[in-house]
Amino acid sequence: MRPEYILTLSCPDQRGIVHSVSGFLTSHGCNIIDSAQFGDAHSQLFFMRVHFSVDELAISEQFLRQEFKEVAQALQMEWQLHDAHHKPRLVLMVSKIGHCLNDLLFRYKSGLLPVEIKAIISNHTDFYQLAASYNIPFHHLPLAAGASAEEKQTQEQRVLEVINANQAELVVLARYMQILSNSMCQALNGRAINIHHSFLPSFKGAKPYYQAHDRGVKLIGATAHFVTGDLDEGPIIEQDVARVDHAMDPEKLTAIGRDVECVVLARAVNYFVEHRILLNGHKTVVFN
């Protein structure tokens, strides 16, 4: 298997970026497999993702990193180089609603999601048997309703211990129904994805699909985004919708909505795994 890498970068938009990157790769015995780029006229930033192989086995990742620094510095780049064959380590978090968890586990077991799921964390015990059926460690870290700030801090510290012990590169909140503290969000900055219904900021609280049914909505959907200290307002990664009508009861709306949530979250996780997401301020650039 030939070494393959994914280079992602952003920098001030200017002439010659693509030429500099492609010229560097060519001169170092690399072959571009696919490439995507985008220049944002508003932010005046340029974004690029290049998937390439190395034809000469003597050229190491460390050598490429060292050599590319000169190009990156000249163009004021923020950049990352990833091993395309590496399977990122994930930790999943869930409460009592398991459709997204079940979907991600199925995709993982089927080989549709090239990751290593190292642990499942929950504040309830509902899915410990599901975790066991996939031979994945299950960590029950309860947090009682009305818990004090100190109790919440202690529980979150235990969560972080599991995440760090497994060297998790991504944490997926697969319907984990606890609000993370600002310190927790900072600790997971850029490596935690959440999923929720797309009604927000409308229909907050319990049973959002029932609230939506009472208002006669015609579209329902889901949003996957990075976790930040601003509740449900992190940079959006993926969204989708489904059309509904007056003949559907709240249970039907809920079922349709959960299907959309599963698909949207899986796409977002896959984009992260394939290094297709670049931050552009409070937004994202996602190379499909």
Side-chain angles (χ1 to χ4, degrees):
M1 184 182 296
R2 290 187 305 173
E4 294 183 12
Y5 300 97
I6 297 173
L7 172 67
T8 58
L9 63 90
S10 63
C11 63
D13 201 355
Q14 55 200 290
R15 291 181 180 177
I17 301 172
V18 174
H19 175 76
S20 296
V21 173
S22 60
F24 170 86
L25 294 176
T26 300
S27 66
H28 286 75
C30 302
N31 179 53
I32 295 175
I33 298 172
D34 64 72
S35 177
Q37 53 272 332
F38 169 67
D40 185 353
H42 179 71
S43 66
Q44 296 294 303
L45 292 175
F46 182 85
F47 303 86
M48 190 172 184
R49 176 188 183 273
V50 186
H51 180 192
F52 64 93
S53 63
V54 179
D55 293 331
E56 299 180 22
L57 297 181
I59 296 179
S60 67
E61 179 179 347
Q62 182 179 2
F63 177 75
L64 287 173
R65 289 181 181 278
Q66 186 62 37
E67 290 287 292
F68 191 70
K69 284 181 180 180
E70 183 176 347
V71 176
Q73 290 173 357
L75 296 173
Q76 303 176 51
M77 289 180 182
E78 293 184 10
W79 62 283
Q80 291 183 310
L81 184 65
H82 311 272
D83 182 348
H85 296 308
H86 171 68
K87 293 184 177 181
R89 297 176 295 274
L90 270 60
V91 168
L92 308 182
M93 299 181 67
V94 66
S95 290
K96 294 177 70 68
I97 302 174
H99 56 285
C100 287
L101 173 68
N102 192 55
D103 181 75
L104 289 174
L105 290 175
F106 173 79
R107 292 173 189 268
Y108 158 69
K109 191 68 173 180
S110 302
L112 300 174
L113 197 58
V115 300
E116 294 294 341
I117 299 179
K118 307 300 291 186
I120 297 171
I121 298 173
S122 181
N123 54 328
H124 298 279
T125 59
D126 298 57
F127 301 112
Y128 78 93
Q129 288 183 325
L130 178 63
S133 71
Y134 285 91
N135 198 30
I136 297 174
F138 183 88
H139 301 268
H140 177 220
L141 303 178
L143 187 64
S148 67
E150 291 76 16
E151 291 170 327
K152 184 175 179 65
Q153 182 179 12
T154 299
Q155 190 260 6
E156 287 191 342
Q157 183 58 44
R158 294 176 64 195
V159 170
L160 281 175
E161 288 173 1
V162 174
I163 292 170
N164 293 335
N166 287 283
Q167 298 180 306
E169 295 158 79
L170 177 65
V171 177
V172 182
L173 277 60
R175 294 304 301 267
Y176 181 70
M177 307 306 289
Q178 292 289 328
I179 297 174
L180 303 185
S181 67
N182 284 331
S183 60
M184 184 72 160
C185 292
Q186 291 172 5
L188 299 177
N189 183 45
R191 59 186 182 114
I193 293 175
N194 189 25
I195 184 71
H196 62 70
H197 59 82
S198 283
F199 298 136
L200 293 173
S202 300
F203 311 134
K204 294 180 180 180
K207 295 187 174 182
Y209 291 103
Y210 283 71
Q211 299 178 50
H213 178 265
D214 288 340
R215 291 292 302 275
V217 302
K218 307 305 180 192
L219 286 173
I220 59 175
T223 295
H225 63 89
F226 282 116
V227 174
T228 66
D230 296 322
L231 182 62
D232 293 326
E233 294 185 14
I236 294 170
I237 301 169
E238 176 66 338
Q239 294 177 298
D240 207 346
V241 295
R243 182 163 289 279
V244 296
D245 61 40
H246 61 276
M248 298 178 181
D249 60 21
E251 289 79 11
K252 182 65 174 177
L253 263 63
T254 301
I256 294 173
R258 288 181 175 177
D259 285 345
V260 179
E261 290 170 13
C262 289
V263 172
V264 168
L265 182 58
R267 286 179 191 157
V269 171
N270 201 60
Y271 292 154
F272 184 95
V273 167
E274 295 183 353
H275 310 292
R276 297 184 179 277
I277 310 168
L278 286 79
L279 285 175
N280 183 16
H282 297 298
K283 302 184 295 183
T284 60
V285 173
V286 180
F287 289 120
N288 293 319

